[in-house]
Amino acid sequence: MVHITPRLIAFQVLFWGFQLGIFVFGWFKQKNDPELSFLNQIGTSVFSSRGAGLIIGVNCAALLLGVCRNVVRVMRQTFLNRWIPFEENLYFHRWFAYAMLFFSLIHTNAHYTNFFLVEYMPVIRNALGLKAWQVHYLAWGGVTGHIMLGICFLMFTSAKMEVKKKNFEIFWYTHHLFIPFYFCLFFHAFGCFVKSTQTKQCKGYNSNYGTVPIFCLYIAERLLREYRAREPTKLTKVIFHPGNTMELRIEKPSFLYKPGQYLFLNIPSVSRFQWHPFTISSCPEEGFVSLHIRILGDWTKNAAQILGCFQGGITKTNMGSVPTVYIDGPYGAPAEDLYNYETALLIGAGIGVTPAASLLKSVWYRYYRKAPMPLKKLYFFWINRDTQSFSWFQSLLSSLEETVPTNMLEIHTYVTGKQSIEDIHNIAMNINAEFDPITELQTRTHYGRPDWARVFQSIRATNNLSAGSEVGVFFCGPSPMAHAIGKECNSNSDGQVKFVLRKEHF
């Protein structure tokens, strides 16, 4: 379900305004060019095909920029990160793809109309020297255009969420048809279909001057990723946690990261070419990289089997033949901006707690070492459907309770799923115990979903926030919850205090 927000409306207006602006520019550039008056006799379908062709070139260049991970990582470190949500790069990538498909259909239909009309215009047909079907299926433009249409069909249909969830491999492999797609795009204008009636020179829009360099940039980045990923990497430990979750601990001396960032993981024995993103759950001070991975899809199930999760996992005393793993990154995520705020709200839902775990470890180390820290007050909320998931980071939360005072860190845990008779009996018997019967923390577990309106109002009331203050709200979890939290951020923001939502959702 799509939630309509002012920010979404503003994006769509600006995005489609830009698209239509380029299209109209290409339309009138063709129409008003006296050197193309002969071709313009065909009519508006020529103007449409040229305007659509120009914006297709722009979109194809923008498509690749959105998936240049290192470029996005660098841009996140600039002042532009304050206004442009670079973490939404895949969202931009998808919308440029939708626009590219939309104008591709306009471009194709306009050309079919052109060649239909040419058959009834002998002067133009004779000038072309080819029949309409020959231009469509033998000329450079026609051949490459139809190939690109076929590739688009495969890429768009396999990119649907239903396909990705059931068989990610289909999505991954068909998306790499982008290579022949772009080569067809580069050669699409060969044959010089649009020529000046005076000089006989080609009158193309030269969009290749933009698409070719960006394509080369993307390929260079892919090669850089491969080189960087192949640097010495060692899997040292695999732990099978309750809640169908495995933890991988990896050592890679060249891998330097910040709390809250993520990486891409490749296990060749599972799939040689597939790389999957996972948030880093460790912090740099620990000396290793840890990943908490929920075992859900085919890839994670096969990985868990190969890594011995169902036979006790891998430890230093049980190394045996350890599978080879590669990691690429790190890459920036919203959570790494935590220390930009004096007051922050950190929310994790289920396995979405992993970026929060990394940040909480960082907070613990900084507080223990008395290192300078801009952050003055942190609220941590962890929502789970079952009670087993709390064991993933129970020792971390217990250490935080013992070390960091509550005037700096507040921990709130919530269980939203149904409880068994045994759990209810255990809770009732230990209701007055010193530690919570579910999490074994001093903080008591809440049952049901958080009342976000109350939470945000409490943060405003209990903190001495000066005019112009910003409260960072960091969330990782499902989209419906992200929408609910975003709604409260907007309704509780005013001229004095602004709640800034930085989200990762799945």
Side-chain angles (χ1 to χ4, degrees):
M1 180 179 178
V2 177
H3 300 286
I4 306 299
T5 63
R7 187 178 182 184
L8 178 61
I9 294 172
F11 168 76
Q12 292 294 335
V13 169
L14 291 173
F15 179 81
W16 288 109
F18 169 78
Q19 299 286 325
L20 292 173
I22 300 295
F23 173 77
V24 170
F25 171 78
W27 170 297
F28 282 104
K29 192 174 189 316
Q30 172 72 28
K31 182 180 179 180
N32 298 329
D33 193 334
E35 294 185 31
L36 298 175
S37 57
F38 179 76
L39 189 62
N40 288 344
Q41 296 178 64
I42 298 174
T44 57
S45 57
V46 171
F47 313 147
S48 299
S49 63
R50 292 282 279 166
L54 177 60
I55 190 59
I56 288 170
V58 174
N59 285 333
C60 286
L63 268 172
L64 291 178
L65 276 178
V67 288
C68 287
R69 298 173 194 159
N70 289 290
V71 173
V72 173
R73 181 178 65 173
V74 171
M75 294 305 294
R76 285 197 83 259
Q77 298 171 1
T78 68
F79 70 94
L80 293 173
N81 188 46
R82 187 172 180 83
W83 294 281
I84 302 175
F86 288 107
E87 61 269 13
E88 299 287 355
N89 59 311
L90 293 182
Y91 180 82
F92 296 139
H93 174 77
R94 285 193 292 269
W95 274 103
F96 277 112
Y98 298 148
M100 187 269 289
L101 179 62
F102 174 74
F103 284 106
S104 293
L105 295 176
I106 292 177
H107 184 72
T108 303
N109 283 293
H111 271 311
Y112 270 95
T113 304
N114 290 338
F115 294 124
F116 175 80
L117 295 175
V118 164
E119 288 297 311
Y120 295 94
M121 303 175 75
V123 175
I124 297 179
R125 186 176 69 243
N126 294 334
L128 290 173
L130 295 171
K131 293 184 177 180
W133 72 268
Q134 292 174 312
V135 176
H136 254 188
Y137 302 109
L138 297 179
W140 279 96
V143 173
T144 56
H146 284 94
I147 292 174
M148 286 191 286
L149 279 176
I151 291 174
C152 279
F153 173 79
L154 294 174
M155 292 179 72
F156 277 88
T157 53
S158 63
K160 289 180 65 66
M161 190 57 66
E162 294 83 352
V163 177
K164 290 170 69 175
K165 285 185 175 180
K166 290 183 179 179
N167 197 324
F168 184 84
E169 289 81 359
I170 293 177
F171 161 75
W172 197 92
Y173 289 118
T174 54
H175 242 59
H176 279 75
L177 291 172
F178 81 91
I179 297 175
F181 175 90
Y182 273 90
F183 274 99
C184 286
L185 179 68
F186 301 152
F187 291 101
H188 188 58
F190 271 46
C192 197
F193 179 73
V194 180
K195 296 180 181 178
S196 168
T197 53
Q198 300 171 10
T199 64
K200 302 301 179 183
Q201 292 182 340
C202 293
K203 294 284 290 185
Y205 284 144
N206 298 318
S207 58
N208 279 351
Y209 286 114
T211 53
V212 172
I214 293 177
F215 177 81
C216 293
L217 172 67
Y218 179 72
I219 295 299
E221 177 171 289
R222 289 292 294 265
L223 295 174
L224 173 64
R225 290 186 214 164
E226 289 295 323
Y227 169 78
R228 191 170 56 188
R230 292 317 190 258
E231 292 180 321
T233 307
K234 183 179 181 183
L235 177 65
T236 59
K237 197 171 187 178
V238 177
I239 305 169
F240 186 46
H241 289 289
N244 214 30
T245 299
M246 60 180 172
E247 178 186 353
L248 277 58
R249 294 189 179 179
I250 301 166
E251 292 182 0
K252 185 173 183 177
S254 62
F255 191 85
L256 304 175
Y257 66 98
K258 297 177 182 179
Q261 293 184 321
Y262 72 98
L263 55 74
F264 282 79
L265 173 68
N266 171 253
I267 306 177
S269 52
V270 178
S271 176
R272 183 179 177 185
F273 299 107
Q274 287 187 46
W275 293 81
H276 291 266
F278 296 102
T279 303
I280 302 168
S281 56
S282 57
C283 72
E285 289 85 350
E286 292 183 283
F288 58 83
V289 178
S290 72
L291 307 172
H292 283 70
I293 302 172
R294 197 73 181 266
I295 303 170
L296 291 174
D298 293 339
W299 188 89
T300 53
K301 289 177 182 176
N302 292 334
Q305 187 71 38
I306 289 172
L307 296 173
C309 285
F310 308 119
Q311 291 83 38
I314 297 174
T315 64
K316 289 187 177 180
T317 59
N318 179 30
M319 295 299 287
S321 179
V322 180
T324 300
V325 300
Y326 297 115
I327 57 175
D328 172 47
Y331 295 106
E336 69 175 287
D337 297 329
L338 177 73
Y339 291 118
N340 293 342
Y341 301 89
E342 290 189 359
T343 305
L345 173 58
L346 190 58
I347 308 167
I351 197 64
V353 75
T354 48
S358 177
L359 292 164
L360 289 171
K361 290 175 183 178
S362 175
V363 169
W364 186 88
Y365 275 102
R366 289 199 180 199
Y367 188 86
Y368 182 77
R369 295 174 176 175
K370 295 181 173 55
M373 183 165 47
L375 186 66
K376 305 302 179 186
K377 180 70 176 185
L378 177 61
Y379 298 86
F380 170 59
F381 282 73
W382 188 7
I383 303 101
N384 278 310
R385 287 182 179 177
D386 58 78
T387 58
Q388 291 181 326
S389 302
F390 290 110
S391 65
W392 302 339
F393 299 106
Q394 194 279 334
S395 59
L396 167 64
L397 297 180
S398 180
S399 298
L400 285 164
E401 279 192 331
E402 294 175 2
T403 309
V404 184
T406 55
N407 63 354
M408 182 188 171
L409 173 65
E410 289 186 18
I411 298 173
H412 302 269
T413 54
Y414 286 78
V415 178
T416 59
K418 293 182 179 179
Q419 302 302 304
S420 65
I421 298 298
E422 292 78 7
D423 285 339
I424 294 172
H425 181 72
N426 179 43
I427 294 166
M429 292 293 292
N430 295 279
I431 194 168
N432 294 318
E434 182 181 358
F435 296 98
D436 184 81
I438 298 297
T439 62
E440 299 181 6
L441 301 174
Q442 295 176 15
T443 303
R444 296 293 166 175
T445 299
H446 304 275
Y447 301 93
R449 298 177 180 178
D451 184 347
W452 294 118
R454 239 174 122 181
V455 169
F456 280 82
Q457 290 166 10
S458 175
I459 292 174
R460 288 198 59 146
T462 57
N463 290 277
N464 187 20
L465 300 172
S466 58
S469 296
E470 289 187 346
V471 178
V473 181
F474 299 88
F475 171 76
C476 184
S479 296
M481 191 179 295
H483 171 69
I485 294 169
K487 187 177 180 181
E488 291 302 327
C489 284
N490 293 331
S491 61
N492 285 278
S493 296
D494 54 29
Q496 180 174 350
V497 178
K498 182 179 180 181
F499 289 88
V500 182
L501 176 61
R502 309 300 301 275
K503 64 179 186 286
E504 301 173 57
H505 49 81
F506 47 79

